[in-house]
Amino acid sequence: MRTHLCGELRPEHVEARVALCGWVGRRREHGEHLSFLDLRDYSGTVQCVVDGSVDVRSEWVVRVEGTVRLRPEGTVNPELPTGEVELTDCVVEVLAEAEPPPFPVDDRAEVDESVRLRYRFVDLRRPRMQQNLRLRSRVLGAMRAAMVRQGFCEVETPLLWTPTPEGAREFAVPSRLNRGKFYVLPQSPQIAKQLLMVAGMDRYFQIARCLRDEDLRADRQFEFTQLDIEASFVTERDVQDAITVAVVEATEAAVGEAPSAIETMTWHDAMDRFGVDKPDLRFGMELVDLGEVFSGTQVRAFAAPCVKAVRVPEGGALGRNRLDGLVDRAKELGAKGLAWFKVTSDAPVALTSPLDKVLSDAERSGIVSATGAVSGDLVLVVADEWRTACEVLGQVRLDLGRPPVGQGERRFLWVTEFPLFDGTDEDGNPRSAHHPFTMPHPDDLELLRSDPTRVRSQAYDLVLNGWELGSGSIRIHREDIQRQVFDALGIPPEEAEARFGFLLGAFRYGAPPHGGFAVGVDRFVAVLAGEDNLREVIAYPKTQSGTDPMTGAPKALSERALRELGLRVTPAGD
Ligand code: ASP
């Protein structure tokens, strides 16, 4: 039907007779004799000049035959890649008429989210959405190619599955043939892929759909896509290297440039220096330890196990309201307080602060020298338990310094040696930081019994510009260690058998040491596309309340369908 794409015409095509197909964008009539219409397909837009008036409207689908010519002087449009040329002597054939679109098909229109999702097929015509979905496709293609090249074998695992231990709420699917029984949609292929290692697949990957029935946020949808991998006879580094190849090549394919080398940092260092387990390395403002400065302090507020500070360059300009806001924010985040010091002079040191008078001279100059603050800066200090002090200042650092998502370089980071357990459940048992199959750090096996909260794990995350792109670990393949971990988690043997018996059973038939990883593709694509909402990189996402305004899902089932499934819907609250 067509010889060219709208967006590819250039001066080199002048005099060619071409056929294009697409949607009518803007249309302008110049008297009775001349009409201009913009014709758009996914590749771009080109201007068509039609003699006389032409009966087409916005978003009609047309085929245009015409001759390419240079635009007359003074009418070149430098904003448009095709802006030097136009089509003349046009014959326009209408392929489909269209109702007026619910919103203009251009990137500038601000449109309500639910309207966009209701008419997603129109929304996706917008250049930005076209670019995002195509960028996503390049990322998936590059990842798949990278894994195949590295000897990984693609295996599809079932969607109708059974609970897996990632800890999120799961979607259940009623079984018609086994009344009263349910499948569970996989939170991830975790157990399936570990079984593939027992099965001798050696290196597995899958571009896997995962489902978690958790509240939706800008960075979370019910369904998401992972590059999921597992490999046998590997170290942490081997797994990280394989994933590094995939994300570096995907970045190149997506944005045309490779990222700089990927650093590695332990979880402890990440927390200590940045106050989060997913540091955004695009900017500084690292946390500074003031423990020594306040080691013998007389000031009660600073007599804490940990005193941390962050220097805010030129933050001295912040007014009292902003500073009070920061103090409130720190309290909201769990700190007892936040002290601020405006550096009015660095040599000799002079500070402005409600606490200035109670500090000793050594403390006053210590704050300035330890943080490297200069005149005009602001220093924020939290004194608390180590974790609280780090986390609170880490968040304040992000609030004050974090660049927008699409800005700056792409700074990937491996964070390693996560704690094996994180927090406790309602019964006071430790909770797995990753999942219960994660191998403890070999040096910390002894601590499993004596001090589980201090056990490090062989789990690692990949971080990009402050976004957690994914997690992975070396898995436990030895029954004795697995039993100790279940023990520490407070999972009795019978329960372990009931929940994960089929995996543990399989391990008795010869389990190779193995480990793996999963990269969250939606998040990865969002960062690469410079979008902070995942919905912008997913063709058909759900709204915040979990609905799809286009299809109306979720919907009630007919009485008959419910009967067949053996289900009865009870009123809310029952
Ligand atoms: N199953 C894990 C996840 O979805 C990834 C892994 O450990 O490989 O986060």
Side-chain angles (χ1 to χ4, degrees):
M1 286 182 84
R2 59 186 173 187
T3 59
H4 290 77
L5 295 172
C6 301
E8 68 182 342
L9 296 180
R10 296 287 182 277
E12 72 202 62
H13 297 103
V14 163
E15 288 187 8
R17 187 81 188 154
V18 299
L20 307 174
C21 295
W23 285 260
V24 175
R26 273 193 316 153
R27 205 171 46 100
R28 299 166 306 283
E29 308 235 322
H30 275 219
E32 282 168 28
H33 303 299
L34 215 53
S35 316
F36 291 90
L37 53 97
D38 289 340
L39 186 63
R40 184 192 72 241
D41 64 17
Y42 76 87
S43 67
T45 298
V46 69
Q47 173 165 289
C48 305
V49 186
V50 188
D51 290 332
S53 77
V54 47
D55 186 22
V56 293
R57 315 232 167 98
S58 210
E59 297 309 305
W60 283 26
V61 186
V62 297
R63 178 176 183 273
V64 179
E65 252 185 62
T67 306
V68 183
R69 74 164 185 209
L70 287 176
R71 287 198 193 190
E73 255 195 55
T75 64
V76 167
N77 179 354
E79 309 270 294
L80 206 63
T82 62
E84 287 177 78
V85 297
E86 61 190 8
L87 237 57
T88 52
D89 300 325
C90 292
V91 182
V92 179
E93 180 191 348
V94 174
L95 302 176
E97 298 185 5
E99 289 186 17
F103 44 84
V105 181
D106 73 54
D107 289 340
R108 285 181 296 271
E110 285 278 339
V111 188
D112 184 67
E113 182 81 28
S114 63
V115 179
R116 288 181 60 197
L117 291 183
R118 165 128 201 242
Y119 298 97
R120 192 61 157 175
F121 41 85
V122 173
D123 189 42
L124 293 181
R125 275 182 211 158
R126 304 207 279 179
R128 165 174 158 206
M129 298 306 290
Q130 286 280 323
Q131 278 156 22
N132 287 355
L133 290 188
R134 284 164 206 283
L135 183 148
R136 183 180 179 115
S137 167
R138 292 197 298 280
V139 166
L140 289 171
M143 285 180 150
R144 179 172 262 126
M147 296 323 292
V148 170
R149 210 183 58 245
Q150 295 183 90
F152 285 73
C153 173
E154 184 164 4
V155 181
E156 291 150 290
T157 55
L159 277 181
L160 296 178
W161 191 239
T162 189
T164 36
E166 247 96 11
R169 193 181 299 115
E170 294 167 312
F171 283 99
V173 181
S175 163
R176 179 178 57 84
L177 295 179
N178 302 275
R179 234 174 205 242
K181 303 241 164 87
F182 296 82
Y183 302 98
V184 162
L185 300 178
Q187 301 190 28
S188 86
Q190 185 60 35
I191 291 191
K193 68 176 174 175
Q194 291 194 239
L195 290 170
L196 285 174
M197 295 302 102
V198 184
M201 289 308 299
D202 204 274
R203 290 177 157 220
Y204 139 94
F205 86 97
Q206 178 177 201
I207 311 271
R209 301 300 287 279
C210 306
L211 297 111
R212 299 183 187 180
D213 189 0
E214 300 279 288
D215 292 343
L216 304 185
R217 300 189 309 231
D219 66 350
R220 193 189 277 160
Q221 282 274 314
F222 288 149
E223 336 179 16
F224 55 96
T225 304
Q226 289 185 340
L227 167 66
D228 191 53
I229 80 162
E230 195 74 13
S232 296
F233 311 113
V234 286
T235 60
E236 286 184 52
R237 198 70 250 176
D238 294 331
V239 176
Q240 291 159 12
D241 286 347
I243 289 290
T244 296
V245 170
V247 296
V248 166
E249 291 182 9
T251 303
E252 251 182 303
V255 299
E257 70 189 49
S260 46
I262 304 186
E263 281 175 54
T264 300
M265 192 181 289
T266 63
W267 175 87
H268 185 276
D269 283 355
M271 294 300 295
D272 203 51
R273 291 171 53 190
F274 299 95
V276 270
D277 57 8
K278 46 182 180 183
D280 188 337
L281 300 184
R282 287 175 301 165
F283 68 109
M285 291 172 66
E286 283 194 31
L287 314 193
V288 179
D289 203 290
L290 296 186
E292 258 176 46
V293 176
F294 287 102
S295 57
T297 190
Q298 299 299 313
V299 186
R300 276 253 306 283
F302 293 134
C306 175
V307 187
K308 285 261 176 200
V310 70
R311 172 172 87 90
V312 186
E314 290 163 35
L318 295 188
R320 194 59 197 247
N321 275 351
R322 275 302 294 285
L323 294 168
D324 289 346
L326 289 176
V327 175
D328 291 342
R329 173 86 168 132
K331 287 185 181 157
E332 243 168 62
L333 292 165
K336 290 188 225 22
L338 172 122
W340 55 262
F341 301 92
K342 288 183 176 182
V343 182
T344 44
S345 157
D346 43 68
V349 170
L351 303 174
T352 306
S353 166
L355 285 171
D356 183 48
K357 281 184 209 61
V358 298
L359 297 184
S360 68
D361 282 346
E363 288 168 343
R364 203 172 285 117
S365 56
I367 291 177
V368 171
S369 60
T371 57
V374 292
S375 171
D377 289 351
L378 174 74
V379 177
L380 302 172
V381 179
V382 172
D384 218 303
E385 297 296 328
W386 173 75
R387 182 118 179 211
T388 309
C390 293
E391 283 178 350
V392 171
L393 277 181
Q395 188 56 53
V396 170
R397 167 184 177 267
L398 289 174
D399 290 353
L400 291 174
R402 189 170 190 191
V405 64
Q407 226 171 65
E409 332 161 58
R410 291 173 198 89
R411 293 290 299 271
F412 286 91
L413 172 73
W414 284 107
V415 179
T416 60
E417 295 185 17
F418 269 75
L420 189 64
F421 305 110
D422 193 13
T424 48
D425 64 16
E426 311 85 66
D427 303 326
N429 291 313
R431 255 195 318 235
S432 288
H434 189 38
H435 50 59
F437 308 127
T438 301
M439 185 70 108
H441 195 287
D443 299 342
D444 294 353
L445 283 174
E446 290 301 310
L447 293 172
L448 263 179
R449 231 172 245 116
S450 56
D451 193 357
T453 56
R454 281 186 43 223
V455 180
R456 289 166 300 166
S457 71
Q458 296 189 52
Y460 35 84
D461 273 7
L462 180 62
V463 175
L464 171 57
N465 292 359
W467 292 51
E468 180 203 319
L469 283 195
S471 317
S473 59
I474 297 297
R475 327 294 183 187
I476 301 171
H477 71 286
R478 272 175 42 193
E479 219 185 327
D480 55 334
I481 301 180
Q482 186 68 72
R483 221 175 308 114
Q484 286 178 51
V485 170
F486 281 149
D487 227 35
L489 288 168
I491 304 179
E494 318 79 64
E495 189 187 328
E497 194 54 38
R499 281 170 64 191
F500 317 120
F502 63 102
L503 177 70
L504 305 177
F507 279 2
R508 289 177 207 130
Y509 290 88
H514 60 284
F517 198 80
V519 180
V521 171
D522 310 270
R523 287 187 186 174
F524 185 24
V525 172
V527 183
L528 291 176
E531 298 284 4
D532 45 25
N533 196 316
L534 295 188
R535 289 195 285 264
E536 305 300 345
V537 298
I538 296 174
Y540 303 113
K542 303 281 186 290
T543 60
Q544 197 89 10
S545 54
T547 61
D548 176 359
M550 186 175 66
T551 63
K555 289 182 185 161
L557 282 184
S558 70
E559 272 306 317
R560 176 149 166 240
L562 285 174
R563 235 188 346 265
E564 243 179 16
L565 294 168
L567 296 178
R568 199 168 30 226
V569 178
T570 56
D574 252 25

